[in-house]
Amino acid sequence: MRKFLAACFLAVLAVPANAQSGASDPLAPFRQFSQPLIGEWDVTIRELDETGKLLFEMRQQRTFTPTIADEFIEERVFDPSVTGGPAVISGVLLLSYDPKTRTVYQHGFFGGHAGLRFSGEASLASDARSAEGTTLTPGEPGFRTRRRLVMSWQRPNEFRHRAFARDARGRVFLNEELVYRRGRNPCLQ
């Protein structure tokens, strides 16, 4: 009997505390989606018009770091310096998650554009590899751009952030694409 009780006691000790209480990490899907983002990225941004014509393309460096008790992910945006020096920070965004609705939120600000803010929310897919929703970018007073948002992992070291708009006839087209590729940002060194 003592051996049986000792075995039961050891079995209870071997089970993690959250499994003993029956609780699980409500942020686990968000962590699965966002943790691979942690680190430095080389980003190519392309903006297209309704015909698919490339309006402009630029490159940035971005970093993702966990913050506030690892419940949020901070994204910092760096633009190349016009003087050839180190990249300068041009924006800060924050990723968060609501486990009740499985919604990923992204909010941030960009410098150099008076009052340019970005806000997005997307429902996390069941496999936690993509999220789809809408973005809202307030611009000049009274002007707001709402676009369909799709964020997805393509490969372990490639992430895409796409925004789709509507043309004057109501047709949906790819308006903006950010392609993140894992990199060592020489501009940040």
Side-chain angles (χ1 to χ4, degrees):
M1 182 68 164
R2 283 185 189 170
K3 288 182 183 178
F4 175 75
L5 289 174
C8 289
F9 179 74
L10 289 175
V12 168
L13 289 179
V15 177
N18 65 348
Q20 289 178 27
S21 67
S24 64
D25 180 7
L27 296 177
F30 177 62
R31 292 186 204 290
Q32 183 181 348
F33 176 76
S34 64
Q35 286 300 316
L37 285 168
I38 303 303
E40 299 176 349
W41 296 85
D42 298 318
V43 180
T44 302
I45 300 172
R46 294 181 191 99
E47 189 164 321
L48 304 115
D49 69 10
E50 60 274 1
T51 67
K53 178 183 172 192
L54 182 65
L55 297 174
F56 77 86
E57 180 174 302
M58 68 179 288
R59 302 206 187 305
Q60 292 179 327
Q61 287 81 41
R62 296 189 179 209
T63 61
F64 290 85
T65 53
T67 187
I68 311 174
D70 290 341
E71 291 185 13
F72 298 86
I73 304 292
E74 179 183 66
E75 178 180 6
R76 289 185 172 245
V77 180
F78 297 87
D79 285 327
S81 170
V82 292
T83 63
V88 294
I89 190 162
S90 64
V92 177
L93 296 105
L94 198 62
L95 284 170
S96 61
Y97 180 69
D98 180 350
K100 291 179 183 168
T101 62
R102 290 186 57 91
T103 302
V104 175
Y105 295 97
Q106 185 179 29
H107 301 284
F109 298 89
F110 294 95
H113 307 284
L116 182 59
R117 301 182 308 275
F118 175 86
S119 179
E121 59 183 66
S123 297
L124 190 59
S126 60
D127 66 359
R129 293 196 40 83
S130 63
E132 192 168 329
T134 59
T135 67
L136 181 61
T137 308
E140 299 297 321
F143 176 76
R144 296 159 58 105
T145 304
R146 183 177 297 276
R147 299 179 292 180
R148 186 172 142 245
L149 168 67
V150 177
M151 299 182 287
S152 62
W153 284 99
Q154 304 297 305
R155 303 175 201 43
N157 291 321
E158 185 175 314
F159 182 77
R160 291 189 186 233
H161 186 282
R162 294 177 173 164
F164 296 84
R166 290 191 180 274
D167 66 12
R169 293 176 287 228
R171 292 183 297 190
V172 175
F173 67 96
L174 177 61
N175 180 232
E176 184 177 63
E177 178 177 53
L178 284 72
V179 179
Y180 293 72
R181 290 195 174 92
R182 181 71 66 188
R184 293 215 57 219
N185 300 331
C187 295
L188 302 178
Q189 308 295 320

